[in-house]
Structures are given as C-alpha cells and as structure tokens.
Amino acid sequence: MNINLAQNKNLKLFKLISEVAEKNNQTVFIVGGYVRDLLMKRKAPTDIDFVTEGNGIDLAKAVSKEINPTLKVSVFKNYGTAMFKFDGLDLEFVGARKESYAEDSRKPSVETGTLEDDQKRRDFTINALAISLNKENFGDLIDPFDGILDIKKRILRTPLEPSQTYSDDPLRMMRAIRFASTLNFKIEENSLKAIKKEVERIKIVSMERIMVEFNKIMLSEKPSVGLKLMEQTGILHLVIPELTALKGIEEVEGQTHKDNFWHTLEVVDNISENTDNLWLRWAALLHDIGKAPTKKFVEGLGWTFHGHEFLGSKMVKNLFYRLKLPLGTDMKYVQKLVKLSSRPIALIDDGTSDSALRRLLFDAGEDLEDLFILNKADITTKNSSKQAKFKKNFEYVALKIKEVEEKDQVRNFQPPISGEEIMELFNLKPGREIGILKEKVKEAILEGEIANDKEEARNFVIKEGQNIGLILA
Ligand code: CTP
C-alpha cells in the first residue's frame, strides 16, 4: 500500500530528508504516532519520529545542516537518538535497533538492527507502522504486523508476545490503557491477560511517567473507559488504592449504601461532558475519597460518612505528594472543591438561610461555578423523579446564592475596614488585637449582623474594640 504524501504539508521536508539519507547511503522511514495519526486521519502530531538503518545521530546532523547550519541538534548518545526543532515540529532520528531490557529497569541495552527489528520492539501494532521515505518506494507503508487492520478493528495488540512487550517496558501497560481511553480502542484479550500478569512491574516505572499517561486518560472523552481498565487490571489498586477502597456495597440490617467507586466513575464522565479543566476532573475523581475511611453504620441512622469531605480534602495533599502531582494552586483548588463538595446540597436540608449562603459564597469565592459543575455531575441517580428533584433543589440553591451575591458582595471578600484603619482608630501598634477585630468583622458580615459596608464596619469595630478594653484615639 502506498500512502500518497503529495498533499502532506510536510512533503518538502520529507523529500529533503529522503535526499540527504540517500546521499549518506542510509535508509529512512517515518514511524510511530505520526504514521498512526495520519492513517486514522487525526490531527497531525507535531512530533515526527524517523528511523534509519544506519546512524540516527549522523542523519539528524546531516538533515539539520541541509535545512539550516545554525539549527541546534540535541544528541542522546546512549540511546542513539538526536532531535531538533524546525518549523514548529520536533523531529527525532534514531538508528534502527534491537533491544533487550534488564529485569529491574526500563533502560534498554541497544544493538543496531533492521527496520523490522525496530518495528518488532515497539509497543503496539498501530504504533509499529512505517512509511518509507526512500527513493525507490517513497510513501510505501511497511506494516509487518497488520497494524492497519488493527486500526480498522480498533484493537490494541503488541507485535511480539504481549508478556514480553509489557515486561520489557511496563509503562506500556499504562500506554495501552491510555490509548484505549483516548482512541476508544479495545485491548486485545491476550494483551489484557498479560497486563494482569505483569502488573506488579508497574512499580519500576517513575510516578511522573505514570501520571503523564493517567492525565491523558483523565482528559479523554470518557475517562471511565481507562479508569475501569486500570481497575480491572489491578493497576489502579497499586497506584491509587484510595479509589479502589471505595469499591463495594455493604449491608447491615437490610440497609445498603451505593458503591462509591462506580458512582465516582460516573461523576467523572458526567463532569467531562462539561469541562476540559483537568483539575476539575480530578476534583470529581477525588470528591468521595474520604468516604472509605469514614464509613460507619449507625443504629437508627443507617450508613454515614461523617466528615468525609474534610478528611477527603486532607487526603488530597498526601495523594498529590505521592503521585508527584503539582503541590501548588492546582492541589489547593482540588482540596477546596473536595471540601466544599457537599455544601450546596446540604443547604437544602439545613435551610437556605442568608448567612449559610453567604458563608458558602465566601468559602468558594471564584471557584463557585466550578463547584456547581461538580455538584451537577454528582447527581447520578437513575430514578428520574429523584433526579428531577435534585436538579430542582440545586437550581434553587444556585438562584438563592445569586441573590445573596448581588446583595452582599461577599464572593471575593475584601474587608471593608483595613488593619491600618483599625490601628489608627485605637492608636495601636501592629498586634494580635487587629487580627481578632478583623475576624470579628468578617464573621459579623457573614452572619448578617452588619452589612458589607465601611461605615457599619467602623462602628462595629469601635464597639467591639471598646468591649475588649481598647480606648479610642
Ligand atoms: N514507543 C514504545 N514504547 C514506549 C513508548 C514509545 O514502543 N513505552 C514507541 C511507539 O512506537 C510510539 C513511538 O515510540 O509510537 C513514539 O512514542 P511517543 O512519541 O511517546 O508516543 P506516540 O505513539 O507518538 O503517541 P503520543 O504522541 O500520543 O504520545
């Protein structure tokens, strides 16, 4: 089969590479994700991998020199690869190789090989396709493992015996699941078995690399596809046991609770229909993690998960630390949403008093809309009248909050009286009284005792200051 590259926007580049390789007496092929995505008519990747039967570093240098002698080439001698950037593309060249892997490492020892050797050692047949750039068969697809058929059948299959492919490089287990989730492919039966068998080897993969794949799963259209596969293969239990701990339904005195793991997957899918924000999707994933450690059956009450949001938000920190995820604002955002996840709905039960609404507005601040997106996604009941009731309740809370927001403007609360002004009022030096008075002002506003207004706040501070023995200046 010949792939017509005449309309390809990189045709000129491919021709140039072809000529340089010929001059150097080397063969050259495009391989990997670029070929896969081209055949699947997906958006063309900006990373292009080239394989040569010969020296990849020499070819990269020769090609870059031909394009522009000042281009900077990065060389990775140990891997026999070299790459450079050109025209918004990352071009990587590698010499075809045979590889063997040590038991305890993902780092292969490398020997030179033929194109077929190189294709064999790749992860999936759909990633082992090559397009020749050589003059005699320019554009020919070289597909020794029927990758094109697997694309049609939407199947992930390894070129070699699956156990070997996964054991060689256990990151591929995560890649299989990631491709299944992002491309909506099935992992072939033997592959799935091999992943289950080799699952413990995921431990030699760095957490950073696992998370790169995991976040791609989280950003796929229906993340539950990948999450279910992670659960089914046992990877999820090794990487995020806090989630698998949510699995199962218990029954005491005929009372059950929902399976919080499957519920969580539904919430993640629901939220993914409304947001591409990775961290909001993470908040959905973790919103119930506090439920496993807080679960209790209480006589007369049934199943309770008292304080699960608070504990869950604390667990987020340890989890992010262990998973090597960013510990700054993204983590704090997830913590905040987990902590607040039940608040809007709890308002229905406890009554939508203005002060409760103001407190929620104050606590959620600029993330209130995201919290609402999470709450909507959290409605997973299949009972349509219950669903309608929850939605209606929820809309009521949202409306009430809007009213309070317009009236009191506590969303991005700025104290109406500053520390300096308080110091001036009582002729004070900086000290703990200022903090105490400011906190009292905030509380009084949230409770509705005074308006969010400078004059009222000033009078309130004068009164409260005098109550604690301060003397007006
Ligand atoms: N590859 C592999 N095993 C890995 C990583 C990569 O066999 N653990 C091979 C595959 O042939 C893959 C190619 O190297 O197609 C390039 O890898 P990479 O750029 O990481 O992934 P892509 O397949 O290009 O896919 P994506 O860009 O979606 O990550």
Side-chain angles (χ1 to χ4, degrees):
M1 176 169 161
N2 189 275
I3 309 296
N4 185 0
L5 295 174
Q7 301 303 323
N8 190 295
K9 71 174 187 189
N10 299 315
L11 178 66
K12 247 173 90 181
L13 174 72
F14 295 154
K15 288 265 187 213
L16 181 142
I17 293 173
S18 171
E19 277 157 28
V20 174
E22 194 182 1
K23 239 189 280 171
N24 269 23
N25 247 333
Q26 299 184 246
T27 56
V28 65
F29 307 85
I30 318 174
V31 284
Y34 187 84
V35 181
R36 176 196 72 224
D37 288 353
L38 187 72
L39 292 169
M40 289 184 69
K41 301 194 170 55
R42 281 162 58 87
K43 191 168 159 264
T46 51
D47 285 11
I48 313 183
D49 297 325
F50 301 92
V51 165
T52 174
E53 288 163 314
N55 189 311
I57 298 172
D58 288 351
L59 184 61
K61 285 182 178 163
V63 171
S64 69
K65 201 165 153 210
E66 188 68 30
I67 296 174
N68 175 352
T70 65
L71 281 177
K72 194 183 161 308
V73 182
S74 315
V75 175
F76 306 93
K77 228 171 163 189
N78 289 348
Y79 291 91
T81 66
M83 61 162 303
F84 63 89
K85 288 183 188 294
F86 167 65
D87 203 15
L89 299 169
D90 285 312
L91 308 175
E92 181 165 339
F93 293 77
V94 62
R97 36 195 186 163
K98 289 182 189 165
E99 277 175 4
S100 55
Y101 292 76
E103 260 293 294
D104 57 347
S105 160
R106 290 188 57 233
K107 304 220 167 47
S109 62
V110 181
E111 276 174 62
T112 48
T114 62
L115 172 70
E116 183 154 350
D117 290 330
D118 195 276
Q119 286 173 295
K120 247 190 232 163
R121 60 158 201 97
R122 290 179 180 268
D123 51 5
F124 305 108
T125 59
I126 63 164
N127 289 340
L129 294 151
I131 296 176
S132 167
L133 293 184
N134 305 301
K135 210 171 175 182
E136 64 280 8
N137 58 354
F138 190 88
D140 269 8
L141 185 72
I142 301 154
D143 178 18
F145 309 107
D146 286 333
I148 191 100
L149 201 68
D150 289 341
I151 288 182
K152 281 201 188 104
K153 294 199 285 190
R154 303 186 92 80
I155 282 181
L156 288 157
R157 197 164 55 85
T158 56
L160 298 176
E161 214 279 302
S163 290
Q164 187 180 338
T165 301
Y166 293 118
S167 168
D168 276 353
D169 179 357
L171 177 67
R172 291 168 169 170
M173 306 194 254
M174 279 303 289
R175 280 174 61 89
I177 296 173
R178 181 259 285 193
F179 284 123
S181 205
T182 55
L183 302 178
N184 197 15
F185 272 41
K186 281 242 159 351
I187 301 177
E188 179 254 348
E189 198 63 31
N190 288 326
S191 242
L192 210 52
K193 275 193 200 143
I195 297 177
K196 286 182 193 161
K197 192 172 132 231
E198 300 293 336
V199 70
E200 291 281 332
R201 279 181 65 73
I202 197 73
K203 291 180 180 159
I204 68 163
V205 181
S206 76
M207 198 46 97
E208 288 84 349
R209 303 199 77 142
I210 296 177
M211 282 301 119
V212 167
E213 300 301 328
F214 189 80
N215 282 338
K216 288 184 181 177
I217 294 171
M218 286 299 286
L219 285 173
S220 61
E221 205 176 307
K222 214 171 160 208
S224 69
V225 173
L227 293 166
K228 278 180 193 166
L229 283 166
M230 283 186 73
E231 192 274 326
Q232 193 187 337
T233 52
I235 296 186
L236 193 61
H237 183 62
L238 293 175
V239 180
I240 317 184
E242 292 85 347
L243 282 175
T244 47
L246 294 174
K247 255 175 22 182
I249 299 176
E250 271 189 77
E251 184 177 336
V252 174
E253 294 173 6
Q255 295 198 54
T256 54
H257 59 80
K258 68 177 172 233
D259 184 312
N260 286 303
F261 178 70
W262 298 106
H263 163 72
T264 293
L265 298 199
E266 271 189 71
V267 179
V268 174
D269 279 353
N270 285 348
I271 211 161
S272 301
E273 287 177 12
N274 292 314
T275 181
D276 289 329
N277 174 347
L278 174 67
W279 302 112
L280 184 48
R281 290 183 179 202
W282 264 95
L285 182 73
L286 302 181
H287 81 286
D288 271 349
I289 44 165
K291 280 196 172 169
T294 55
K295 185 166 93 175
K296 226 174 158 179
F297 185 84
V298 181
E299 263 333 299
L301 266 181
W303 290 100
T304 64
F305 303 91
H306 186 70
H308 81 86
E309 305 87 346
F310 185 70
L311 182 68
S313 85
K314 280 181 129 180
M315 289 165 75
V316 168
K317 190 168 182 183
N318 288 338
L319 203 70
F320 268 51
Y321 183 77
R322 201 186 69 231
L323 300 179
K324 303 274 193 317
L325 292 169
L327 297 174
T329 48
D330 297 330
M331 183 201 72
K332 296 214 172 83
Y333 166 84
V334 175
Q335 277 193 304
K336 178 175 171 182
L337 289 178
V338 171
K339 194 163 161 188
L340 296 179
S341 57
S342 306
R343 282 271 292 279
I345 291 306
L347 277 177
I348 306 269
D349 303 331
D350 305 344
T352 47
S353 71
D354 278 9
S355 67
L357 292 165
R358 260 193 305 270
R359 273 188 191 281
L360 178 59
L361 253 172
F362 175 77
D363 291 338
E366 60 185 5
D367 300 316
L368 187 72
E369 276 76 21
D370 290 355
L371 179 63
F372 283 174
I373 295 176
L374 174 60
N375 288 148
K376 276 195 192 132
D378 205 1
I379 303 174
T380 59
T381 172
K382 301 288 171 290
N383 177 327
S384 57
S385 72
K386 260 194 189 170
Q387 203 178 72
K389 191 179 107 196
F390 288 156
K391 283 206 173 125
K392 214 169 125 225
N393 283 347
F394 184 70
E395 273 156 24
Y396 176 70
V397 170
L399 182 83
K400 281 296 213 181
I401 287 214
K402 209 159 164 246
E403 281 172 17
V404 169
E405 185 182 8
E406 277 163 16
K407 190 154 60 85
D408 300 337
Q409 285 155 14
V410 290
R411 159 106 66 146
N412 289 310
F413 183 77
Q414 294 296 332
I417 183 161
S418 70
E420 285 77 35
E421 286 166 307
I422 297 175
M423 288 195 282
E424 244 172 61
L425 272 177
F426 297 106
N427 203 5
L428 286 174
K429 295 211 165 59
R432 54 188 285 274
E433 295 96 337
I434 324 288
I436 294 171
L437 287 171
K438 279 178 82 175
E439 184 60 24
K440 279 183 185 280
V441 172
K442 187 192 93 189
E443 282 297 312
I445 292 172
L446 292 178
E447 279 305 313
E449 289 163 21
I450 61 169
N452 189 4
D453 164 276
K454 199 171 183 70
E455 196 48 40
E456 286 200 31
R458 204 181 118 89
N459 290 337
F460 177 81
V461 165
I462 292 174
K463 192 177 92 218
E464 287 295 320
Q466 287 172 333
N467 279 350
I468 58 170
L470 298 177
I471 296 162
L472 269 181

